[in-house]
Amino acid sequence: MSSCPNADSYIPSLSSSSSTQFAQQGDRFIPTRSLMNLDMAQFSLRRRKNPRSSDGALDFPAILTAKEEYRRRLEENLTMDSEGKPFKMLAFKGNPKCHGGRLRVLDEMMKVEQGQSNVTKTLRSLPKAPEKILDAPNLVDNYYLNLIDWGQNNVLAVALGLDLYLFNVATGVVQKLMRTDANDYVTCVAWFEDGRTLAVGHNNSKLQLWDATSSTKLRSLRGHKATVDSLSWSGHLLSSGSRDALIINHDVRAASYPSSCLRGHSGEVCGLRWSPNGKLLASGGDDNLVHIWEATNMASSKYLHRLDEHCAAIKALAWCPYQSSILASGGGKNDRCIKMWDAKTGQCLSSLDTKAQVSALVWNKHQKEILSGHGYGQRSLCLWRYPSMSKIGELQGHTSRVLNLSQSPDGATVVSAGTDETLRFWKAFDPPQSMHSRIDDRESDSLLSIKRMQIR
C-alpha cells in the first residue's frame, strides 16, 4: 500500500543548491541535540512576544525609547541564524563549516586582537639591572686575558689573581680550585664539554688540565714560551694562543706534546674560537689580524683566510649559532668596530663603529641578536639586531670597563666581568615563553636580584 507524506509536515531539504556547506549530514526527522543552541531556545520561549510584520520581521512601535531600540536590535541579532534566517529551535542538519552574519564580525575582531597581541610579543624588553652581582676582588685588569668561562655543568670558572674559583650558579656554592705561585697568576680558563675538565693557562707559560670534581691537576701541556692568553676546545682538541704569537693544538687523549703548531700571527694571540661544527678555527691577535684556519689543514701554518680590516687588537670572536660560516669580530680601543665575515669567502659583510673598545661578543641562541661588551668609551653591554646591526639597547651597571662575557648553558643569561671587580649576571637572552611562566620566573628571580655575593 502506497502512502504519501502529510502536506502539513515539514521535510528539510538536502538540495545541493543550498548556499551553506555542512561538515556532516544528520537524520532529516530527528533533531541533532548537540547542534542545538539550548540557551537561545530558552530565551525564545520566555521572551515577550512582539507582533511580526508581513515580511516576518519584528514589529515595534514607530517611536522607541533608547531602551526599546536597544532591545529591538538585540532581539533581531539573537533571533537570526548564521544565514540571516529566523532562528529555529530544532537542528536537523550538520554544523556549517564557516561562520556567517554576526559571527564573521566576531572572527574579524578576534583576528585583529590576535594581530595586536603578536605585535606586543615582538617588543623587546631588556633588564634594567643585573639579576645577580658577585664581588670579584683581584680580577686582573688586562684586555688580552680571558678570565671567566661558564661550563655545561652550570659552574662558572673565575680567575682572580693567584686564585681560581668555581661558582655553582644553581646552588651558590663557591669552591677554590687552585692557587698559583706568588710570581704567577691565572690568565685564561676554558671548560671541556664534559663539564668536569678545566683547562687553565698561566702567566708563566704553563697550561694545565684540572679535574674540577676532585680538585686535582690531571696533567701539564707543553709548548708555549710566554703567557697563555686564550683557549678554545673542539672535541678533544684544545687550542691555545700565547704572547709568543703561536697557536698550539693539543689532543688531550695523546701525550702531553703538541699535536700541531700554527704560525701566522706576529703579535700576541688573545682571541681563539672554534666554530660549532668544529671545521674552522678563528684567531685574533695584537697584530690587528684575524685568521681562519681549517681543521683538516692543521699540520701546516697555511691559513684559509687572512682578515686585515681591523686597526687594533682583536680579542672578541664569536661564531653565529644559526649560520655556521658567519664570524663576528670586535676590535680594540683604536678600532671600536664589530665586523661580520663570511668565513667561506673571507668577505667582510658589514662593519659597525660602536664608539668604544669591543672586549667580548656573544650571540643570542634564541633570536637573531648579538651582545657586545665594551671597555674604554662605554663601560656597558650593547644588544644589536642581526643582520641590520641596529641597536636594541644597553645593559648598564659596571663602573669601569668590561673585560669578558660568558653565556649560560641554556643561552638565556650572560655574565660580565668588569675591572670594577664585579661579576654581573644579566637575563639578556630570555627565550620566548608563556605569560604565566614569565610571572613565575620574575617572582623567583626577585629573590636573587637583591643579593650581592662575594666569590671567595
Side-chain angles (χ1 to χ4, degrees), residues 130-156:
E131 191 179 39
K132 184 163 34 186
I133 302 175
L134 301 181
D135 288 326
N138 301 321
L139 188 78
V140 179
D141 185 0
N142 189 328
Y143 172 81
Y144 295 96
L145 307 184
N146 294 272
L147 302 174
I148 60 173
D149 192 39
W150 201 333
Q152 293 299 315
N153 54 358
N154 206 20
V155 174
L156 180 68

Side-chain angles (χ1 to χ4, degrees), residues 72-239:
R72 183 186 69 79
R73 295 190 179 186
L74 182 63
E75 289 193 9
E76 281 187 356
N77 278 277
L78 289 177
T79 55
M80 298 295 175
D81 63 10
S82 61
E83 294 180 312
K85 298 178 181 178
F87 171 78
K88 295 178 181 178
M89 296 184 190
L90 302 182
F92 295 93
K93 296 183 180 181
N95 201 21
K97 290 183 178 179
C98 60
H99 299 307
R102 65 184 181 279
L103 295 184
R104 287 199 184 97
V105 177
L106 293 177
D107 289 342
E108 292 299 324
M109 293 172 63
M110 292 178 67
K111 289 179 182 178
V112 172
E113 184 177 355
Q114 185 178 6
Q116 291 175 347
S117 64
N118 290 338
V119 172
T120 303
K121 290 179 181 179
T122 59
L123 296 178
R124 189 69 165 89
S125 61
L126 292 176
K128 296 181 179 179
E131 191 179 39
K132 184 163 34 186
I133 302 175
L134 301 181
D135 288 326
N138 301 321
L139 188 78
V140 179
D141 185 0
N142 189 328
Y143 172 81
Y144 295 96
L145 307 184
N146 294 272
L147 302 174
I148 60 173
D149 192 39
W150 201 333
Q152 293 299 315
N153 54 358
N154 206 20
V155 174
L156 180 68
V158 185
L160 300 178
L162 306 181
D163 301 313
L164 178 58
Y165 291 91
L166 304 179
F167 173 66
N168 190 311
V169 180
T171 64
V173 175
V174 179
Q175 171 193 351
K176 184 176 179 178
L177 181 64
M178 59 161 290
R179 183 178 176 86
T180 67
D181 298 332
N183 60 348
D184 189 20
Y185 58 89
V186 177
T187 53
C188 56
V189 291
W191 283 104
F192 181 52
E193 59 188 11
D194 65 357
R196 177 174 179 172
T197 305
L198 182 66
V200 183
H202 293 251
N203 183 56
N204 65 2
S205 78
K206 291 189 297 184
L207 178 57
Q208 300 172 339
L209 297 181
W210 284 77
D211 187 329
T213 57
S214 61
S215 298
T216 57
K217 185 178 75 171
L218 299 176
R219 56 195 286 195
S220 296
L221 304 174
R222 308 174 186 175
H224 288 296
K225 304 299 181 183
T227 301
V228 181
D229 295 303
S230 53
L231 297 168
S232 185
W233 288 91
S234 177
H236 289 89
L237 188 68
L238 173 64
S239 299

Side-chain angles (χ1 to χ4, degrees), residues 122-131 364 367 369-371 381-385 390-396 412 414 426-430 438 442:
T122 59
L123 296 178
R124 189 69 165 89
S125 61
L126 292 176
K128 296 181 179 179
E131 191 179 39
N364 186 345
Q367 301 181 53
E369 300 169 347
I370 188 168
L371 185 70
L381 285 66
C382 295
L383 187 63
W384 311 89
R385 186 172 286 106
S390 58
K391 191 173 184 178
I392 299 174
E394 294 185 18
L395 303 176
Q396 297 181 342
V414 174
W426 308 89
K427 202 78 168 180
F429 299 146
D430 196 15
R438 284 183 184 273
R442 287 169 186 167

Side-chain angles (χ1 to χ4, degrees), residues 350-391:
S350 66
S351 181
L352 172 71
D353 187 354
T354 66
K355 310 298 182 183
Q357 180 186 53
V358 184
S359 55
L361 293 169
V362 175
W363 287 92
N364 186 345
K365 297 178 182 179
H366 308 289
Q367 301 181 53
K368 292 186 176 182
E369 300 169 347
I370 188 168
L371 185 70
S372 56
H374 297 278
Y376 298 123
Q378 205 157 22
R379 302 178 305 180
S380 64
L381 285 66
C382 295
L383 187 63
W384 311 89
R385 186 172 286 106
Y386 176 80
S388 66
M389 295 307 290
S390 58
K391 191 173 184 178

Side-chain angles (χ1 to χ4, degrees), residues 25-41:
Q25 296 294 340
D27 191 284
R28 293 183 300 166
F29 301 104
I30 302 176
T32 306
R33 187 180 181 87
S34 62
L35 300 179
M36 294 167 57
N37 189 337
L38 298 181
D39 291 335
M40 185 61 223

